[in-house]
Amino acid sequence: MEIEVLSESKTLHRPLAEHPENPSRVDRVLSALKSSGLTWREISIRDTGLTLEEQLKIASRIHAKGYLDYIVRLSKSTPALIDEDTYVSQGSLELALATLTESYNLALHTGSTVLLISRPPGHHAGRGGRAMGASTQGFCILNNAAASVVGFTDRGFRKIAVLDFDAHHGNGTMEIFYREKILQIDLHEDPAVLYPHTGYPEEMGEGEGFGYKVNLVLPVGGGDDLYAELVERTRTLLEKYSPEALVVSAGFDAFLNDGLADLAATEITYYKLGLLIRSLSVPTVLVLEGGYGVGLERGLVSFIEGLMSARRKYTAKTTTLRALFRKAITDAERVLEKASRRVL
Ligand SMILES: [Zn+2]
Protein backbone atom coordinates (compact mmCIF):
# COMPACT_ATOMS: atom_id res chain seq x y z
CA MET A 1 0.00 0.00 0.00
CA GLU A 2 1.03 3.60 -0.54
CA ILE A 3 0.45 6.79 1.38
CA GLU A 4 0.14 10.02 -0.54
CA VAL A 5 0.04 13.46 1.05
CA LEU A 6 -1.20 16.58 -0.69
CA SER A 7 1.37 19.12 0.48
CA GLU A 8 -0.84 22.21 0.55
CA SER A 9 -3.24 20.53 2.99
CA LYS A 10 -0.64 21.48 5.63
CA THR A 11 -1.00 25.16 4.87
CA LEU A 12 -4.14 26.11 2.91
CA HIS A 13 -7.79 26.23 4.05
CA ARG A 14 -7.32 27.89 7.43
CA PRO A 15 -10.11 28.81 9.83
CA LEU A 16 -10.36 32.38 11.13
CA ALA A 17 -11.00 31.28 14.69
CA GLU A 18 -10.37 28.06 16.59
CA HIS A 19 -11.82 25.14 14.62
CA PRO A 20 -11.21 21.36 14.82
CA GLU A 21 -10.71 21.06 11.04
CA ASN A 22 -7.48 22.94 10.42
CA PRO A 23 -4.05 22.37 8.82
CA SER A 24 -2.49 21.05 12.04
CA ARG A 25 -4.46 17.82 11.56
CA VAL A 26 -2.13 16.89 8.73
CA ASP A 27 0.97 17.77 10.76
CA ARG A 28 -0.38 15.52 13.46
CA VAL A 29 -0.82 12.64 11.00
CA LEU A 30 2.64 13.09 9.54
CA SER A 31 4.39 13.18 12.88
CA ALA A 32 2.58 9.98 13.90
CA LEU A 33 3.60 8.29 10.64
CA LYS A 34 7.16 9.44 11.12
CA SER A 35 7.40 8.11 14.68
CA SER A 36 6.13 4.75 13.42
CA GLY A 37 8.73 4.60 10.67
CA LEU A 38 6.12 4.88 7.90
CA THR A 39 6.95 6.73 4.71
CA TRP A 40 4.81 8.67 2.25
CA ARG A 41 4.95 10.37 -1.11
CA GLU A 42 4.24 14.06 -1.15
CA ILE A 43 2.55 15.71 -4.11
CA SER A 44 1.59 19.29 -4.76
CA ILE A 45 -1.56 20.87 -6.23
CA ARG A 46 0.26 21.50 -9.51
CA ASP A 47 1.00 17.75 -9.83
CA THR A 48 -2.70 17.10 -10.47
CA GLY A 49 -1.85 18.56 -13.89
CA LEU A 50 -5.24 20.17 -14.46
CA THR A 51 -6.41 23.76 -14.57
CA LEU A 52 -9.03 25.02 -12.14
CA GLU A 53 -11.60 24.84 -14.95
CA GLU A 54 -10.72 21.24 -15.72
CA GLN A 55 -10.96 20.35 -12.04
CA LEU A 56 -14.35 22.05 -11.82
CA LYS A 57 -15.43 19.86 -14.72
CA ILE A 58 -14.65 16.74 -12.69
CA ALA A 59 -16.46 18.26 -9.70
CA SER A 60 -19.51 18.93 -11.89
CA ARG A 61 -19.95 15.19 -12.32
CA ILE A 62 -20.64 14.99 -8.60
CA HIS A 63 -22.03 18.37 -7.61
CA ALA A 64 -24.76 20.59 -9.03
CA LYS A 65 -23.62 23.49 -11.19
CA GLY A 66 -25.43 26.00 -8.99
CA TYR A 67 -23.58 24.76 -5.92
CA LEU A 68 -20.17 24.92 -7.62
CA ASP A 69 -20.90 28.43 -8.92
CA TYR A 70 -21.79 29.41 -5.37
CA ILE A 71 -18.53 28.01 -3.95
CA VAL A 72 -16.48 29.75 -6.65
CA ARG A 73 -18.29 33.03 -5.89
CA LEU A 74 -17.77 32.58 -2.16
CA SER A 75 -14.07 31.90 -2.60
CA LYS A 76 -13.67 35.37 -4.14
CA SER A 77 -14.80 37.09 -0.96
CA THR A 78 -12.92 35.17 1.72
CA PRO A 79 -13.00 34.62 4.60
CA ALA A 80 -16.56 33.35 4.36
CA LEU A 81 -18.84 30.79 5.91
CA ILE A 82 -20.89 28.21 4.03
CA ASP A 83 -22.68 27.53 7.31
CA GLU A 84 -21.88 27.67 11.00
CA ASP A 85 -19.55 24.62 10.74
CA THR A 86 -17.96 25.08 7.35
CA TYR A 87 -15.56 27.88 6.41
CA VAL A 88 -13.97 29.02 3.17
CA SER A 89 -10.65 30.85 3.36
CA GLN A 90 -8.17 31.96 0.77
CA GLY A 91 -6.94 28.81 -0.96
CA SER A 92 -9.86 26.66 0.19
CA LEU A 93 -11.27 26.28 -3.31
CA GLU A 94 -7.87 25.34 -4.74
CA LEU A 95 -7.24 22.77 -2.02
CA ALA A 96 -10.76 21.28 -2.10
CA LEU A 97 -10.60 20.94 -5.89
CA ALA A 98 -7.13 19.40 -5.82
CA THR A 99 -8.18 16.90 -3.14
CA LEU A 100 -11.22 15.94 -5.19
CA THR A 101 -9.22 15.71 -8.42
CA GLU A 102 -6.55 13.55 -6.80
CA SER A 103 -9.23 11.26 -5.32
CA TYR A 104 -10.58 10.87 -8.85
CA ASN A 105 -7.14 10.38 -10.45
CA LEU A 106 -6.06 7.76 -7.93
CA ALA A 107 -9.17 5.71 -8.66
CA LEU A 108 -8.45 6.03 -12.36
CA HIS A 109 -4.92 4.68 -12.03
CA THR A 110 -4.23 2.66 -8.89
CA GLY A 111 -3.72 -1.06 -9.12
CA SER A 112 -3.40 -1.51 -5.38
CA THR A 113 -4.24 0.49 -2.26
CA VAL A 114 -3.58 4.21 -1.84
CA LEU A 115 -4.32 6.32 1.20
CA LEU A 116 -4.72 10.01 0.39
CA ILE A 117 -3.97 12.31 3.30
CA SER A 118 -5.54 15.63 2.47
CA ARG A 119 -8.22 18.12 3.49
CA PRO A 120 -10.94 19.28 3.63
CA PRO A 121 -12.95 16.11 4.32
CA GLY A 122 -15.82 15.37 1.95
CA HIS A 123 -18.36 12.77 3.02
CA HIS A 124 -20.98 15.26 4.28
CA ALA A 125 -21.04 17.20 1.01
CA GLY A 126 -24.04 16.21 -1.10
CA ARG A 127 -24.83 17.06 -4.70
CA GLY A 128 -25.97 20.56 -3.80
CA GLY A 129 -24.11 21.07 -0.53
CA ARG A 130 -26.03 20.05 2.59
CA ALA A 131 -27.22 16.45 2.26
CA MET A 132 -30.27 14.51 3.39
CA GLY A 133 -31.65 17.45 5.36
CA ALA A 134 -28.54 18.00 7.49
CA SER A 135 -28.21 21.37 9.18
CA THR A 136 -24.67 22.01 7.90
CA GLN A 137 -22.00 20.53 5.64
CA GLY A 138 -19.93 19.44 8.63
CA PHE A 139 -16.57 20.93 7.47
CA CYS A 140 -16.96 19.43 3.95
CA ILE A 141 -16.93 21.34 0.66
CA LEU A 142 -16.55 18.74 -2.12
CA ASN A 143 -17.13 15.01 -1.91
CA ASN A 144 -13.79 13.24 -2.43
CA ALA A 145 -15.07 9.68 -1.89
CA ALA A 146 -17.71 10.25 -4.57
CA ALA A 147 -14.96 11.41 -6.94
CA SER A 148 -13.14 8.11 -6.37
CA VAL A 149 -16.33 6.22 -7.18
CA VAL A 150 -16.66 8.18 -10.43
CA GLY A 151 -12.98 7.46 -11.21
CA PHE A 152 -13.50 3.72 -10.78
CA THR A 153 -16.68 3.92 -12.88
CA ASP A 154 -14.77 5.68 -15.68
CA ARG A 155 -12.28 2.86 -15.58
CA GLY A 156 -15.07 0.45 -16.44
CA PHE A 157 -15.68 -1.09 -13.02
CA ARG A 158 -19.31 -1.85 -12.33
CA LYS A 159 -19.20 -3.45 -8.89
CA ILE A 160 -17.92 -0.71 -6.63
CA ALA A 161 -18.25 -0.64 -2.85
CA VAL A 162 -17.84 2.23 -0.41
CA LEU A 163 -16.90 1.64 3.21
CA ASP A 164 -17.25 4.61 5.57
CA PHE A 165 -16.12 4.13 9.16
CA ASP A 166 -15.99 7.77 10.25
CA ALA A 167 -17.98 8.26 13.49
CA HIS A 168 -20.44 10.44 11.58
CA HIS A 169 -22.76 9.13 8.88
CA GLY A 170 -21.49 9.81 5.35
CA ASN A 171 -24.74 11.49 4.36
CA GLY A 172 -23.26 13.33 1.37
CA THR A 173 -21.86 10.23 -0.28
CA MET A 174 -25.01 8.26 0.48
CA GLU A 175 -27.24 10.97 -0.97
CA ILE A 176 -25.19 11.19 -4.16
CA PHE A 177 -25.53 7.46 -4.90
CA TYR A 178 -28.84 6.83 -3.14
CA ARG A 179 -30.53 5.58 -6.31
CA GLU A 180 -27.50 3.77 -7.72
CA LYS A 181 -26.13 0.26 -7.41
CA ILE A 182 -23.09 1.33 -5.44
CA LEU A 183 -22.85 -0.79 -2.30
CA GLN A 184 -22.30 1.58 0.63
CA ILE A 185 -21.62 0.29 4.11
CA ASP A 186 -21.48 2.97 6.76
CA LEU A 187 -20.59 2.35 10.40
CA HIS A 188 -21.39 5.33 12.58
CA GLU A 189 -22.72 6.60 15.87
CA ASP A 190 -26.45 6.68 16.57
CA PRO A 191 -27.96 9.45 14.42
CA ALA A 192 -30.41 10.26 17.20
CA VAL A 193 -27.56 11.85 19.12
CA LEU A 194 -24.90 12.79 16.57
CA TYR A 195 -24.67 15.05 13.52
CA PRO A 196 -25.77 14.69 10.68
CA HIS A 197 -28.74 12.86 12.25
CA THR A 198 -29.13 10.52 9.27
CA GLY A 199 -28.01 6.98 8.62
CA TYR A 200 -30.77 5.01 10.30
CA PRO A 201 -30.93 1.32 9.33
CA GLU A 202 -34.20 1.93 7.47
CA GLU A 203 -32.43 4.23 4.99
CA MET A 204 -31.64 1.52 2.45
CA GLY A 205 -31.59 3.42 -0.85
CA GLU A 206 -34.27 3.94 -3.47
CA GLY A 207 -35.09 2.53 -6.89
CA GLU A 208 -32.12 0.70 -8.38
CA GLY A 209 -30.15 1.58 -5.26
CA PHE A 210 -32.55 -0.05 -2.81
CA GLY A 211 -30.70 -2.51 -0.58
CA TYR A 212 -27.33 -1.09 -1.59
CA LYS A 213 -27.21 1.33 1.38
CA VAL A 214 -26.24 -0.38 4.61
CA ASN A 215 -26.23 1.69 7.79
CA LEU A 216 -24.70 -0.03 10.81
CA VAL A 217 -25.35 2.03 13.90
CA LEU A 218 -23.30 2.06 17.11
CA PRO A 219 -24.85 3.38 20.32
CA VAL A 220 -23.17 6.02 22.44
CA GLY A 221 -20.12 4.42 24.05
CA GLY A 222 -19.88 1.72 21.36
CA GLY A 223 -16.53 0.00 21.91
CA ASP A 224 -14.13 -2.55 20.43
CA ASP A 225 -16.40 -5.51 21.25
CA LEU A 226 -19.24 -4.15 19.12
CA TYR A 227 -16.91 -3.01 16.35
CA ALA A 228 -15.46 -6.53 16.20
CA GLU A 229 -18.92 -7.95 15.52
CA LEU A 230 -19.87 -5.29 12.98
CA VAL A 231 -16.54 -5.46 11.15
CA GLU A 232 -16.90 -9.25 10.88
CA ARG A 233 -20.39 -8.90 9.41
CA THR A 234 -19.14 -6.21 7.05
CA ARG A 235 -16.44 -8.63 5.93
CA THR A 236 -18.98 -11.35 5.22
CA LEU A 237 -21.11 -9.06 3.05
CA LEU A 238 -18.13 -7.57 1.19
CA GLU A 239 -16.55 -10.95 0.54
CA LYS A 240 -19.78 -12.34 -0.85
CA TYR A 241 -20.41 -9.22 -2.91
CA SER A 242 -16.84 -9.34 -4.19
CA PRO A 243 -16.46 -5.76 -5.45
CA GLU A 244 -14.09 -4.93 -8.31
CA ALA A 245 -12.96 -1.76 -6.53
CA LEU A 246 -13.30 -0.18 -3.11
CA VAL A 247 -13.51 3.39 -1.85
CA VAL A 248 -12.97 4.01 1.84
CA SER A 249 -14.00 7.09 3.78
CA ALA A 250 -11.42 6.75 6.51
CA GLY A 251 -12.31 8.84 9.53
CA PHE A 252 -10.71 8.38 12.92
CA ASP A 253 -13.08 10.32 15.15
CA ALA A 254 -14.65 7.15 16.60
CA PHE A 255 -11.39 6.65 18.52
CA LEU A 256 -11.87 6.86 22.28
CA ASN A 257 -11.63 10.54 23.32
CA ASP A 258 -10.83 11.84 19.86
CA GLY A 259 -13.12 14.69 20.74
CA LEU A 260 -16.18 15.13 18.51
CA ALA A 261 -18.08 11.85 18.94
CA ASP A 262 -18.96 9.49 21.80
CA LEU A 263 -17.62 6.17 20.55
CA ALA A 264 -14.81 4.17 22.08
CA ALA A 265 -12.86 2.41 19.34
CA THR A 266 -9.17 1.77 20.04
CA GLU A 267 -6.24 0.45 18.00
CA ILE A 268 -7.61 -3.06 17.56
CA THR A 269 -10.73 -1.81 15.78
CA TYR A 270 -8.74 0.18 13.21
CA TYR A 271 -6.23 -2.63 12.83
CA LYS A 272 -9.07 -5.03 12.00
CA LEU A 273 -10.60 -2.57 9.54
CA GLY A 274 -7.19 -2.37 7.84
CA LEU A 275 -6.91 -6.16 7.69
CA LEU A 276 -10.41 -6.44 6.24
CA ILE A 277 -9.64 -3.95 3.45
CA ARG A 278 -6.36 -5.68 2.67
CA SER A 279 -8.04 -9.09 2.50
CA LEU A 280 -10.38 -7.93 -0.28
CA SER A 281 -7.32 -7.19 -2.47
CA VAL A 282 -9.02 -5.03 -5.06
CA PRO A 283 -7.96 -1.56 -6.24
CA THR A 284 -8.70 0.69 -3.28
CA VAL A 285 -8.66 4.43 -2.69
CA LEU A 286 -8.83 5.59 0.91
CA VAL A 287 -9.60 9.22 1.59
CA LEU A 288 -9.19 10.95 4.93
CA GLU A 289 -12.42 12.17 6.50
CA GLY A 290 -12.60 13.11 10.19
CA GLY A 291 -10.30 12.59 13.14
CA TYR A 292 -9.34 15.56 15.27
CA GLY A 293 -7.15 14.29 18.07
CA VAL A 294 -5.66 11.02 19.23
CA GLY A 295 -7.54 9.13 16.47
CA LEU A 296 -5.29 10.74 13.85
CA GLU A 297 -2.29 9.25 15.62
CA ARG A 298 -3.09 5.93 17.25
CA GLY A 299 -6.15 5.12 15.10
CA LEU A 300 -4.54 5.95 11.79
CA VAL A 301 -1.26 4.16 12.52
CA SER A 302 -2.96 0.93 13.64
CA PHE A 303 -5.22 1.12 10.58
CA ILE A 304 -2.17 1.32 8.30
CA GLU A 305 -0.56 -1.58 10.17
CA GLY A 306 -3.67 -3.61 9.37
CA LEU A 307 -3.56 -2.53 5.72
CA MET A 308 0.07 -3.70 5.61
CA SER A 309 -0.77 -6.86 7.51
CA ALA A 310 1.96 -6.05 10.05
CA ARG A 311 1.99 -8.39 13.01
CA ARG A 312 0.48 -6.63 16.00
CA LYS A 313 -1.10 -7.89 19.16
CA TYR A 314 -3.65 -5.25 20.01
CA THR A 315 -6.32 -6.24 22.45
CA ALA A 316 -9.88 -5.04 22.83
CA LYS A 317 -9.94 -2.39 25.53
CA THR A 318 -13.46 -1.03 25.48
CA THR A 319 -16.84 -2.66 25.82
CA THR A 320 -20.36 -1.59 24.98
CA LEU A 321 -23.21 -1.53 27.48
CA ARG A 322 -24.79 -5.01 27.28
CA ALA A 323 -28.38 -4.02 26.43
CA LEU A 324 -27.21 -1.53 23.78
CA PHE A 325 -24.79 -4.10 22.35
CA ARG A 326 -27.56 -6.64 21.77
CA LYS A 327 -29.86 -4.10 20.15
CA ALA A 328 -27.11 -2.89 17.82
CA ILE A 329 -26.41 -6.45 16.65
CA THR A 330 -30.09 -7.19 16.10
CA ASP A 331 -30.53 -3.99 14.05
CA ALA A 332 -27.38 -4.72 12.05
CA GLU A 333 -28.45 -8.28 11.28
CA ARG A 334 -31.84 -7.13 10.10
CA VAL A 335 -30.42 -4.62 7.64
CA LEU A 336 -27.63 -6.95 6.48
CA GLU A 337 -30.11 -9.68 5.74
CA LYS A 338 -32.31 -7.37 3.70
CA ALA A 339 -29.30 -5.99 1.86
CA SER A 340 -27.92 -9.47 1.14
CA ARG A 341 -31.19 -10.54 -0.42
CA ARG A 342 -31.08 -7.58 -2.75
CA VAL A 343 -27.38 -7.29 -3.48
CA LEU A 344 -26.08 -10.85 -3.68
ZN1 LIG B 1 -16.62 12.49 11.49
Side-chain angles (χ1 to χ4, degrees), residues 152-194:
F152 279 132
T153 307
D154 283 358
R155 205 164 141 180
F157 291 135
R158 288 298 166 260
K159 278 180 99 177
I160 301 164
V162 177
L163 174 63
D164 184 326
F165 58 80
D166 186 277
H168 303 86
H169 179 232
N171 58 328
T173 321
M174 199 162 277
E175 183 211 71
I176 289 167
F177 301 111
Y178 208 58
R179 303 183 67 88
E180 292 182 41
K181 286 183 168 179
I182 304 289
L183 177 61
Q184 290 176 260
I185 307 178
D186 197 308
L187 290 91
H188 52 268
E189 183 177 327
D190 186 356
V193 292
L194 191 68

Side-chain angles (χ1 to χ4, degrees), residues 91-139:
S92 294
L93 177 68
E94 287 73 13
L95 182 62
L97 276 173
T99 302
L100 175 110
T101 302
E102 192 55 15
S103 305
Y104 171 80
N105 280 340
L106 288 174
L108 218 47
H109 300 297
T110 187
S112 61
T113 300
V114 192
L115 168 61
L116 176 63
I117 304 291
S118 191
R119 310 170 35 249
H123 72 154
H124 297 307
R127 208 164 276 285
R130 286 192 311 244
M132 295 177 83
S135 53
T136 73
Q137 288 178 210
F139 320 161

Side-chain angles (χ1 to χ4, degrees), residues 36 38 224 255 266-273 275 297-307 309-318:
S36 307
L38 294 162
D224 293 323
F255 200 97
T266 73
E267 281 87 345
I268 190 165
T269 291
Y270 292 97
Y271 180 69
K272 282 180 176 169
L273 282 163
L275 285 178
E297 296 161 357
R298 288 161 56 192
L300 183 69
V301 166
S302 50
F303 177 62
I304 294 169
E305 289 167 346
L307 286 170
S309 196
R311 274 179 187 236
R312 290 291 181 280
K313 280 210 169 127
Y314 292 123
T315 49
K317 292 190 194 90
T318 55

Side-chain angles (χ1 to χ4, degrees), residues 8-245:
E8 287 86 349
S9 62
K10 292 183 277 187
T11 52
L12 296 182
H13 189 51
R14 314 180 77 94
L16 255 189
E18 205 172 301
H19 193 291
E21 207 297 286
N22 64 68
S24 74
R25 293 177 64 228
V26 176
D27 295 329
R28 200 160 183 162
V29 167
L30 298 186
S31 72
L33 296 181
K34 207 169 171 188
S35 326
S36 307
L38 294 162
T39 55
W40 62 90
R41 178 178 69 230
E42 210 150 306
I43 65 151
S44 161
I45 285 181
R46 64 176 174 278
D47 296 326
T48 60
L50 296 177
T51 64
L52 212 65
E53 282 65 36
E54 289 167 325
Q55 299 187 15
L56 277 166
K57 210 165 170 190
I58 296 174
S60 72
R61 299 187 53 200
I62 295 141
H63 296 286
K65 186 178 178 301
Y67 173 67
L68 292 174
D69 290 347
Y70 163 68
I71 297 297
V72 169
R73 235 176 12 249
L74 214 55
S75 71
K76 287 177 182 149
S77 56
T78 54
L81 288 175
I82 295 178
D83 54 54
E84 61 188 271
D85 283 343
T86 318
Y87 62 87
V88 176
S89 73
Q90 208 189 350
S92 294
L93 177 68
E94 287 73 13
L95 182 62
L97 276 173
T99 302
L100 175 110
T101 302
E102 192 55 15
S103 305
Y104 171 80
N105 280 340
L106 288 174
L108 218 47
H109 300 297
T110 187
S112 61
T113 300
V114 192
L115 168 61
L116 176 63
I117 304 291
S118 191
R119 310 170 35 249
H123 72 154
H124 297 307
R127 208 164 276 285
R130 286 192 311 244
M132 295 177 83
S135 53
T136 73
Q137 288 178 210
F139 320 161
C140 300
I141 300 175
L142 302 175
N143 197 309
N144 310 310
S148 295
V149 171
V150 171
F152 279 132
T153 307
D154 283 358
R155 205 164 141 180
F157 291 135
R158 288 298 166 260
K159 278 180 99 177
I160 301 164
V162 177
L163 174 63
D164 184 326
F165 58 80
D166 186 277
H168 303 86
H169 179 232
N171 58 328
T173 321
M174 199 162 277
E175 183 211 71
I176 289 167
F177 301 111
Y178 208 58
R179 303 183 67 88
E180 292 182 41
K181 286 183 168 179
I182 304 289
L183 177 61
Q184 290 176 260
I185 307 178
D186 197 308
L187 290 91
H188 52 268
E189 183 177 327
D190 186 356
V193 292
L194 191 68
Y195 171 88
H197 305 291
T198 56
Y200 287 95
E202 302 77 52
E203 296 163 19
M204 293 192 66
E206 278 171 11
E208 288 265 286
F210 180 76
Y212 282 77
K213 314 299 146 192
V214 180
N215 288 302
L216 304 180
V217 174
L218 292 106
V220 168
D224 293 323
D225 57 343
L226 181 54
Y227 268 108
E229 296 288 335
L230 297 182
V231 169
E232 225 16 69
R233 284 162 172 82
T234 299
R235 172 199 301 283
T236 306
L237 179 61
L238 281 174
E239 278 177 356
K240 284 190 187 153
Y241 184 66
S242 181
E244 296 167 298

